[in-house]
């Protein structure tokens, strides 16, 4: 097995740097599942303490955790621009994200000002360190469609964090930001579209053709889409100042851009060179199908006001976007990155000849990845039904808990094979 071309693997950080993030994420997915299973009635609205706590277990504890770990690896290797003091950056941002997210979740669940305060200070400090290092690396990186997508996503993250900190300080009773409603709306849209979606789009331009052997994305799309979505997002955040028709046009353009990315990716995957079954491909397909479902649910809300005013509408949109799209694509990425890094570091540490160490495919058993995918798919289907049948909450949370546990066990199995064949952590 050879290393993909055009990547600077000599600049790869030590395995432990990204790995600590990847292995810390599944327990937060498990925590979100337990919150769903234990208090399904509390999910009737997106604003209940349980709903806000599990939203951040997913967006910070799982998604941000894996995405920061992936950036620790991709900035030096894909962008060819190492992070300054990577061990310090990884150590500080990992510990503060872990403890800060737990404190913020405790803040939502207990309404304790101190918990909000501790969460805000830890998350603020940790993200400040990571964002400064990422900005330093991205400023020196060679421009390209993936680097530009990552740059916009990192700006989206910075705006999301600033707004989130302001909202946490409000809840701690330490500060009252102006225009709270707009701050919340901007926090949500920059978090989900500006950070999560734009990072997936930027990275997709590289990893979908590379790992799934598809043709490259159309050059015009990869050149314009991320920038156009970011500009529309900025306009979306000032919608209260716009005439109604203009605001509707901005939202429709955003929905069209999201649809374009999902359909373009599915079309490329249907033209991939190798037609073998691949769990990662199935995770990406589920992710793209969920994005298309998000746009469909949004279109229904444009023509059916009763649905737009219901509590179920934003809940279903959140479940499809965060669970169906983001968690699926990020899990699919984990199943490519972790086996690849375990093989890569084992091979380079041992200067091993082919055949003497496990291949990338041997690092995690395919049948166990597939079983986890099926659990995830079932959990997504049950969760999408919860806004209509809340009594399914216990089943949905329980299946999601099993899925999170098996994901963790699968990732740990790669680690076990790595150490059993002589791999070490420097
Ligand atoms: C420093 C990190 C963060 C802090 C301190 C934070 C804080 C908050 C607070 C206090 C609220 C409740 C708003 C209110 O009703 O008062 C909130 C809502 C929300 N946050 Fe965050 N947040 C952070 C990061 C994120 C990230 C990275 C994302 C997404 C990627 C995110 C997604 C959301 C969503 C979706 C809601 C609204 C819940 C809903 O609409 O159902 N947050 N956040």
């Amino acid at each position: 097995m050879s290393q993909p071309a055009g990547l600077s693997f000599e600049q790869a950080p030590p395995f432990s740097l990204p790995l600590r993030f990847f292995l810390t994420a599944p327990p937060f997915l498990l925590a979100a599942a337990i919150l769903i299973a234990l208090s399904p009635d509390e999910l009737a609205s997106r604003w209940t303490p349980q709903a806000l706590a599990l939203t951040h277990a997913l967006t910070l504890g799982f998604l941000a955790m894996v995405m920061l770990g992936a950036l620790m690896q991709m900035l030096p290797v894909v962008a060819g621009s190492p992070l300054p003091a990577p061990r310090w950056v990884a150590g500080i941002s990992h510990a503060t994200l872990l403890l800060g997210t737990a404190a913020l979740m405790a803040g939502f669940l207990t309404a304790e000002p101190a918990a909000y305060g501790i969460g805000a200070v830890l998350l603020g400090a940790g993200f400040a360190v990571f964002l400064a290092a990422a900005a330093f690396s991205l400023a020196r990186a060679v421009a390209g469609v993936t680097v530009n997508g990552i740059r916009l996503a990192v700006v989206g993250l910075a705006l999301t964090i600033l707004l989130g900190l302001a909202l946490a300080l409000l809840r701690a009773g330490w500060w009252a930001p102006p225009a709270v409603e707009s701050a919340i709306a901007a926090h949500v849209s920059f978090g989900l579209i500006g950070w999560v979606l734009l990072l997936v789009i930027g990275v997709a331009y590289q990893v979908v053709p590379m790992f799934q052997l598809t043709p490259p994305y159309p050059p015009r799309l990869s050149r314009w889409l991320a920038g156009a979505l970011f500009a529309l997002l900025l306009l979306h955040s000032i919608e209260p100042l716009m005439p109604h028709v203009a605001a509707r046009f901005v939202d429709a353009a955003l929905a069209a851009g999201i649809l374009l990315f999902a359909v373009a990716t599915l079309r490329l995957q249907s033209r991939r060179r190798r037609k073998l079954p691949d769990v990662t491909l199935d995770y990406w397909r589920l992710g793209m199908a969920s994005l298309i479902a998000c746009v469909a649910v949004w279109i229904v809300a444009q023509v059916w006001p009763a649905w737009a005013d219901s509590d179920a509408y934003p809940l279903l949109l959140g479940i499809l976007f965060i669970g169906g799209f983001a968690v699926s694509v990020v899990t699919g990425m984990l199943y490519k990155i972790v086996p690849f890094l375990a093989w890569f570091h084992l091979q380079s540490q041992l200067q091993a000849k082919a055949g003497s160490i496990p291949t990338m495919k041997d690092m995690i058993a395919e049948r166990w990845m597939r079983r986890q995918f099926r659990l995830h798919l079932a959990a997504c289907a049950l969760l999408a039904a919860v806004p209509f049948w809340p009594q399914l909450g216990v089943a949905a949370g329980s299946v999601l808990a099993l899925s999170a546990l098996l994901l963790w066990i699968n990732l740990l199995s790669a680690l076990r094979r790595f150490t059993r064949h002589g791999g070490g952590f420097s």
Side-chain angles (χ1 to χ4, degrees), residues 32-300:
I34 292 171
L35 278 170
I36 295 169
L38 289 183
S39 47
D41 303 336
E42 297 300 327
L43 301 181
S45 153
R46 61 194 274 207
W47 302 115
T48 62
Q50 283 78 6
L52 286 167
L54 80 90
T55 298
H56 291 85
L58 294 172
T59 56
L60 282 172
F62 184 79
L63 296 175
M65 190 66 82
V66 176
M67 293 157 81
L68 261 58
L71 285 174
M72 290 295 307
Q73 180 70 27
M74 297 184 92
L75 286 173
V77 174
V78 176
S81 180
L83 286 146
R87 286 179 192 279
W88 281 99
V89 171
I92 294 170
S93 50
H94 174 257
T96 50
L97 183 54
L98 169 61
L99 299 171
T101 304
L104 181 66
M105 290 172 65
F108 286 125
L109 294 171
T110 64
E112 265 306 316
Y116 280 121
I118 293 168
V121 170
L122 286 171
L123 289 166
F127 277 112
V129 168
F130 185 85
L131 288 167
F136 181 85
S137 159
L138 286 165
R140 298 176 324 151
V142 181
V145 289
T146 289
V147 167
N148 296 345
I150 296 177
R151 282 178 176 150
L152 291 172
V154 167
V155 174
L157 175 64
L159 292 169
T160 305
I161 300 303
L162 282 176
L163 290 159
L165 294 176
L167 294 167
L169 295 180
L170 171 69
R171 284 182 169 243
W174 292 3
W175 181 53
V180 173
E181 297 248 332
S182 308
I184 297 175
H187 175 65
V188 173
S189 54
F190 279 110
L192 300 182
I193 299 177
W195 157 237
V196 176
L197 179 64
L198 285 189
L199 190 70
V200 169
I201 291 178
V203 168
Y205 296 149
Q206 182 88 38
V207 299
V208 170
M210 181 168 77
F211 281 134
Q212 299 170 25
L213 303 177
T214 70
Y217 279 83
R220 254 189 311 172
L221 180 141
S222 53
R223 203 174 308 131
W224 293 107
L225 183 62
L229 284 174
F230 195 80
L232 287 166
L233 209 50
L234 291 175
L235 289 173
H236 177 78
S237 64
I238 55 166
E239 270 180 11
L241 309 174
M242 273 188 211
H244 183 65
V245 179
R248 302 285 301 267
F249 174 79
V250 168
D251 291 354
L254 264 173
I258 294 171
L259 201 58
L260 187 60
F261 171 67
V263 172
T265 304
L266 289 173
R267 278 196 67 229
L268 287 181
Q269 289 173 327
S270 69
R271 294 163 49 206
R272 68 190 187 283
R273 291 197 301 281
R274 196 177 53 207
K275 303 284 184 195
L276 293 174
D278 177 352
V279 172
T280 302
L281 183 80
D282 295 335
Y283 265 115
W284 274 81
R285 282 180 166 156
L286 174 61
M288 296 309 119
S290 302
L291 272 187
I292 294 171
C294 282
V295 174
V297 165
W298 175 82
I299 291 173
V300 173

Side-chain angles (χ1 to χ4, degrees), residues 327-360:
V327 172
S328 302
V329 168
V330 162
T331 305
M333 296 273 273
L334 277 173
Y335 277 148
K336 275 295 180 212
I337 296 179
V338 172
F340 173 77
L341 290 179
W343 168 82
F344 168 75
H345 287 283
L346 202 52
Q347 205 257 348
S348 57
Q349 283 180 15
L350 306 180
Q351 294 303 318
K353 296 205 174 18
S356 64
I357 59 169
T359 66
M360 187 176 149

